[in-house]
Amino acid sequence: MTQNWPLWEVFVRSRRGLSHTHAGSLHAPDAEMALRNARDLYTRRSEGVSIWVVPSTEITASSPDERDPFFAPAADKPYRHPTFYDIPEGVRHL
Amino acid sequence: MTSNMTSDATGTAATAATGTDPVRSAAMALGDDALILSHRLGEWAGHAPVLEEEVALANIALDLLGQARLLLSMAGDEDELAFLREERSFRNLQLVERPNGDFAHTIARQLYFSFYQHELYSELAAGDGPFAPLAAKAVKETAYHRDHAEQWTLRLGDGTQESRARMRAALDELWKYTGEMFQPVDGLEGVEWPALEERWLATVGAVLERAGLTLPEGPRTGAWAAGAGRQGLHTEPFGRMLAEMQHLHRSHPGASW
Amino acid sequence: MVTVTPESGQEAGPGTGPAQPGHGEIGDLGAQLAAAFDAAVAADERVEPRDWMPDEYRASLVRQMAQHAHSEIIGMQPEANWITRAPSLRRKAILMAKVQDEAGHGLYLYSAAETLGTSRDELLDKLHSGKQKYSSIFNYPTLTWADVGAIGWLVDGAAITNQVPICRCSYGPYARAMVRICKEESFHQRQGYELLLALSKGTEAQHAMAQDAVDRWWWPSLMMFGPPDGESAHSAQSMAWRIKRHSNDELRQRFVDIAVPQAESLGLTLPDPDLKWNEERGHYDFGAIDWAEFWDVLKGNGPCNEQRLSQRRTAHEEGAWVRDAAAAYAAKHARQADRPAARPADGTTAEPAGHPATNHEETQA
C-alpha cells in the first residue's frame, strides 16, 4: 500500500519589506518536510528570504458562485481608490 | 582549464598529496571528501524516491561540489586533481566513496558525514587558519545537509517496520567507516579531534534516539585501518567510480571543456 | 465564468472584472456559461482553477500539462546519463544544476495540473502505464558528451520556442508555471551552446564530436514541434482556446530561422542539404522531415522508449517504501502532537513545533 503525500501551498517572501506571495504547491508528508522541499524548489535561485507552507485543504476559497455577491460591493465604491479624486494641477505630494 | 598528462599527474601526485605543504594536503583531504560524496549523490539523479527528493539531493551535491572546487583550487588545479590522479592519491574518507545502496544507506552516510563535516567546519570557521573563510561559508550549507539527514533519519527510523529495518541495517553497515573521521589530518593542527568525536557521538546519538534507534556497536576501524582513506587506501568500488568519472577527461589529453 | 482570484486581487480595481452573465436568469445555463467562457478567452482573460470551463478544455489542458510535466522528468535521464562523466568540475556543476531544474519544472507543471483536480499520483500512474506520453525527443540516446550540448542548444531551444507563447496561455496556473520555467530554460539553452562552442573550437576530436551530435539531434528537434498543421489532432481547438498561440509549422519555421545563424557562429553545419535562405519568403527553406520516423518513435519504437519508462517505473517502485515511511511518520506525529500543521502565527514564518534546533525564519536559498 502506498500512501500519497498531501499537497501544500507555498508562499514566499522574496525580500524583506514585501509580503509573502503564492509561489506554487508541492507534496510533502508533513509541515517540516514541506518547508524544506519548498526551500529547495522555490528558492534555489535566491528567490526568497522566508517561506510559509499551508496544507491545501486548509485554504478556504470563495467559490465562483459566491464570487459576484462577494466582490461586487467593492466594485461600486470607486471612492476607495485614489484615482477617484481630481486634484488641481500643480498640487504635489498628494 | 588545460590539463596535462605529465608524470606529475599520475606517478608523483601521490607524493604531492602527502607532500611538504600541510595546507595543501589538508585542502586535498577535505576537497576529496566533498568531491567524492558529491559524485555519489549525483548518481541519484533520475532515481530518487520522489521528485522533491531529486531536488534536495541535487542541492546537497551542488553545495559539496562547490566546496570541492574551492578546496582543490587551494591545492592546485581543480580539474587536474579531480581527473588525473590515480586511486591511491585520493585522500577522501572511505565513508564517502561507499556506493549509494538504497535510500537508507544514502541517508545513513549523509547522517554520519554531515554531522562530522558540520562540527569540523564550525571549528575551522571559528579559528583563524587558512580554511576559516571557506568554512564560514560552508557551515551554512552543512547545517542544511545535517538537517536533511536528521529529518530523514527520523522518518525512516520511526516510519514503517520496513524503513526501520533498512535504516538499522544501513547504520550498522556504515558504522565501521566512521572511526577514520577523527584521525588527525595534516594541516588542521588546531582541531581538537577527541572533543570533535565526542560531540559527533552525542549529536548523532541524540538524533538516533529520537528516531527510536541507537548508535551501532562494533569496531570503527574502516576496511583496513582507521585512517586508511586519508592514506590513499580505498575500497574496491572506488576504483570503478573513478574510472567512470575520469575516462572522458583522460581520453582527450590537454583538451579544454 | 472567469473570476478574478484573490491572488490577482490587488489589481482588481473597479471595472477590471470580466463581464458576467446576469443572475437568476432562466434559460440554458450551460450555453450561457459556454458563451461567457468563450468571450472571456477571446478577450484574453485568464481562466483560473475554480472557474467554470468546458470539459474538453479541462481535458485538453490536463493532457497537455501532464505530457509537459512527464517530458521534464523523463528528460532528466538522457542528461543525467553524463553527470558522472562530465569532463570538468565546472561542467559537472552546470549539468547537475540543469538536471535539477528539470525535476523542478516537472514539479511546477504537476502542481499546475493538480489545480484541475488530477493528482500527481494519477498522472504518474498514467505515465508509468504508458497511457500518457512524454516528448519523443527523449527516446533518443545521449551517446557522447557533445549530446549534452546539443540537447541544451537544440532541444531546449526548440522547447523554448514552443513554450514562450504558453506564458500567455489562457489557463492561469499553466501560464504562471511557464513564466518561471522559461526564465530558467534560457540558462539551459545558453549552457548547451557554450558547451558546443568549446568543443567546436577545441581539438579535432572534440569538433568532430560536436558535429556528430548536431547531426543526430537536428531532425528530431524539428520533429518536437509536432506534425504539420494539417495533421495535428489537437491544434485547431487548442488555438481557439488560446492554450496554444501559434501553429506547429509556424513555430518550427521560427526555430529554424533562429538556429541557422547560430550554427554558423558555432562553426558547425546542419545536416540538411536543402537548407537555404529564401529571400522572397524572408525565411529559411528546409528539407522534408521524415515523419515515418516520428510516428514510429511515438509508437514506442525509438531507441530508448523502454529504457526511459522502465527507469522511471523502477525509481518510483523502489521509492515506495520511503514515501510510505514518511507518510507513516507524519500520521504518527500528527496524532501525538494534535496540532494544526504549519500555521503562521504572527506574520512570520510558520514554525513547526518540536524543532527548536532548526530555524526556518528567513530560510536562505
Side-chain angles (χ1 to χ4, degrees):
Chain A
M1 170 217 58
T2 297
Q3 307 171 47
N4 298 334
W5 291 357
L7 192 65
W8 301 75
E9 299 300 323
V10 179
F11 299 82
V12 175
R13 186 202 295 287
S14 54
R15 58 186 162 83
R16 291 191 158 280
L18 297 180
S19 36
H20 287 72
T21 315
H22 187 233
S25 57
L26 50 75
H27 287 269
D30 52 42
E32 285 95 334
M33 292 305 276
L35 269 180
R36 286 161 177 83
N37 293 344
R39 179 255 194 203
D40 287 338
L41 183 60
Y42 288 105
T43 67
R44 67 186 186 286
R45 283 183 169 78
S46 310
E47 296 99 329
V49 295
S50 165
I51 298 172
W52 290 345
V53 292
V54 183
S56 302
T57 51
E58 294 292 309
I59 291 189
T60 309
S62 57
S63 79
D65 287 347
E66 287 167 335
R67 191 241 160 209
D68 241 2
F70 212 63
F71 295 104
D76 66 358
K77 295 184 183 64
Y79 46 81
R80 284 191 195 277
H81 298 270
T83 48
F84 181 74
Y85 304 96
D86 292 327
I87 302 295
E89 244 173 84
V91 177
R92 299 172 65 212
H93 305 300
L94 199 66
Chain B
M1 217 150 299
T2 311
S3 311
N4 56 60
M5 283 277 282
T6 62
S7 63
D8 180 56
T10 52
T12 59
T15 324
T18 52
T20 47
D21 181 356
V23 172
R24 190 165 180 267
S25 132
M28 200 127 43
L30 301 182
D32 286 350
D33 282 351
L35 176 71
I36 302 307
L37 185 56
S38 162
H39 184 95
R40 284 298 190 203
L41 291 174
E43 292 174 355
W44 271 104
H47 299 273
V50 66
L51 267 179
E52 280 81 358
E53 211 43 37
E54 293 277 0
V55 183
L57 291 171
N59 257 2
I60 298 171
L62 281 168
D63 285 345
L64 289 167
L65 186 50
Q67 294 168 12
R69 295 182 64 191
L70 289 172
L71 286 159
L72 292 181
S73 298
M74 287 173 79
D77 179 286
E78 60 174 35
D79 285 337
E80 251 178 64
L81 288 169
F83 295 102
L84 298 178
R85 271 182 299 161
E86 300 289 341
E87 188 179 342
R88 293 278 283 107
S89 308
F90 277 82
R91 290 290 171 266
N92 55 284
L93 300 163
Q94 292 183 347
L95 175 70
V96 296
E97 77 201 30
R98 296 305 299 156
N100 286 337
D102 66 1
F103 189 68
H105 275 77
T106 291
I107 292 301
R109 193 180 58 197
Q110 283 304 113
L111 180 76
Y112 289 157
F113 183 75
S114 64
F115 274 70
Y116 158 77
Q117 204 192 17
H118 189 69
E119 290 297 339
L120 178 58
Y121 280 28
S122 299
E123 198 165 326
L124 293 175
D128 54 5
F131 297 102
L134 178 141
K137 176 180 176 286
V139 280
K140 291 182 197 144
E141 297 167 351
T142 57
Y144 180 74
H145 304 170
R146 204 175 62 152
D147 177 59
H148 175 266
E150 174 177 343
Q151 295 304 324
W152 274 112
T153 301
L154 294 177
R155 279 157 187 79
L156 299 185
D158 191 13
T160 62
Q161 258 183 330
E162 180 181 7
S163 70
R164 183 188 193 73
R166 284 177 184 262
M167 192 65 200
R168 178 79 271 160
L171 289 164
D172 288 346
E173 197 181 311
L174 293 171
W175 181 246
K176 68 175 175 186
Y177 299 103
T178 59
E180 186 188 354
M181 299 193 291
F182 308 102
Q183 295 298 310
V185 175
D186 273 352
L188 301 181
E189 266 68 36
V191 177
E192 305 273 354
W193 296 97
L196 188 76
E197 181 166 18
E198 268 175 48
R199 289 203 302 280
W200 181 84
L201 284 168
T203 48
V204 170
V207 173
L208 292 179
E209 196 184 320
R210 283 176 54 215
L213 299 160
T214 48
L215 281 171
E217 285 165 11
R220 295 200 284 142
T221 47
W224 288 40
R230 295 275 188 245
Q231 316 304 321
L233 298 172
H234 295 278
T235 60
E236 279 192 352
F238 184 58
R240 279 191 298 280
M241 195 209 96
L242 280 190
E244 182 173 341
M245 182 173 109
Q246 297 180 334
H247 99 270
L248 177 59
H249 184 99
R250 285 178 180 244
S251 303
H252 298 262
S256 301
W257 302 94
Chain C
M1 225 179 297
V2 176
T3 61
V4 179
T5 58
E7 56 186 289
S8 62
Q10 283 165 326
E11 290 84 48
T16 57
Q20 300 292 328
H23 283 283
E25 281 175 28
I26 315 161
D28 187 355
L29 186 61
Q32 247 182 49
L33 287 169
F37 176 87
D38 289 344
V41 167
D44 253 344
E45 298 282 356
R46 288 285 189 273
V47 180
E48 293 296 342
R50 296 157 58 81
D51 296 340
W52 184 89
M53 62 188 85
D55 290 344
E56 304 76 36
Y57 176 84
R58 180 184 298 268
S60 182
L61 269 172
V62 170
R63 183 181 50 78
Q64 190 179 331
M65 285 192 279
Q67 178 170 336
H68 196 162
H70 299 334
S71 302
E72 294 283 356
I73 61 166
I74 295 283
M76 294 169 73
Q77 291 182 30
E79 290 175 281
N81 183 34
W82 282 92
I83 286 179
T84 53
R85 293 177 287 173
S88 75
L89 297 186
R90 176 173 171 269
R91 290 286 172 203
K92 189 168 178 160
I94 292 170
L95 185 55
M96 270 202 230
K98 187 187 175 215
V99 173
Q100 182 195 39
D101 271 351
E102 276 149 17
H105 295 175
L107 281 167
Y108 302 154
L109 288 161
Y110 284 122
S111 292
E114 281 188 280
T115 60
L116 291 175
T118 316
S119 76
R120 192 205 299 177
D121 293 280
E122 282 172 64
L123 296 175
L124 284 176
D125 284 346
K126 285 185 181 158
L127 168 65
H128 297 153
S129 63
K131 282 188 194 131
Q132 283 180 341
K133 300 276 183 221
Y134 54 87
S135 177
S136 273
I137 192 81
F138 300 118
N139 289 320
Y140 291 89
T142 47
L143 301 178
T144 72
W145 170 251
D147 290 30
V148 172
I151 287 185
W153 174 44
L154 294 173
V155 175
D156 292 330
I160 292 170
T161 310
N162 260 329
Q163 288 169 0
V164 166
I166 308 178
C167 297
R168 296 185 295 124
C169 147
S170 61
Y171 187 59
Y174 193 19
R176 289 191 287 277
M178 289 315 302
V179 169
R180 200 176 259 275
I181 290 172
C182 285
K183 265 188 216 161
E184 299 181 355
E185 286 283 350
S186 58
F187 141 59
H188 295 181
Q189 196 191 11
R190 276 173 176 240
Q191 66 83 31
Y193 192 83
E194 191 212 55
L195 192 163
L196 283 179
L197 191 62
L199 294 180
S200 181
K201 290 184 163 171
T203 65
E204 213 173 300
Q206 285 177 308
H207 182 89
M209 192 196 283
Q211 184 61 59
D212 167 62
V214 168
D215 289 347
R216 279 181 291 110
W217 287 94
W218 172 251
W219 288 108
S221 299
L222 293 191
M223 295 177 197
M224 283 176 70
F225 295 92
D229 293 347
E231 297 164 33
S232 177
H234 306 288
S235 269
Q237 182 61 76
S238 289
M239 300 254 297
W241 277 331
R242 308 218 172 174
I243 294 174
K244 214 174 149 163
R245 297 246 169 196
H246 305 279
S247 78
N248 293 352
D249 287 333
E250 222 179 312
L251 291 170
R252 190 168 10 244
Q253 182 70 59
R254 186 181 294 181
F255 173 70
V256 171
D257 290 346
I258 291 171
V260 173
Q262 288 177 347
E264 280 163 17
S265 307
L266 276 177
L268 298 172
T269 59
L270 296 170
D272 180 358
D274 298 327
L275 197 63
K276 60 174 176 296
W277 178 252
N278 183 327
E279 194 64 55
E280 206 174 307
R281 291 203 307 129
H283 291 292
Y284 283 94
D285 289 337
F286 53 96
I289 293 170
D290 181 0
W291 291 110
E293 175 181 321
F294 173 79
W295 294 113
D296 211 30
V297 176
L298 195 71
K299 267 183 244 153
N301 300 323
C304 301
N305 298 56
E306 275 164 45
Q307 179 192 331
R308 300 284 185 245
L309 213 47
S310 126
Q311 180 180 327
R312 182 86 268 294
R313 276 196 215 109
T314 307
H316 191 72
E317 284 160 15
E318 289 181 353
W321 71 268
V322 178
R323 298 191 298 275
D324 285 347
Y329 175 90
K332 262 187 240 180
H333 289 263
R335 274 201 307 275
Q336 279 168 18
D338 193 33
R339 62 184 159 80
R343 200 178 293 272
D346 55 1
T348 61
T349 300
E351 178 70 18
H355 287 270
T358 50
N359 177 14
H360 305 296
E361 170 66 0
E362 312 310 325
T363 301
Q364 291 293 332

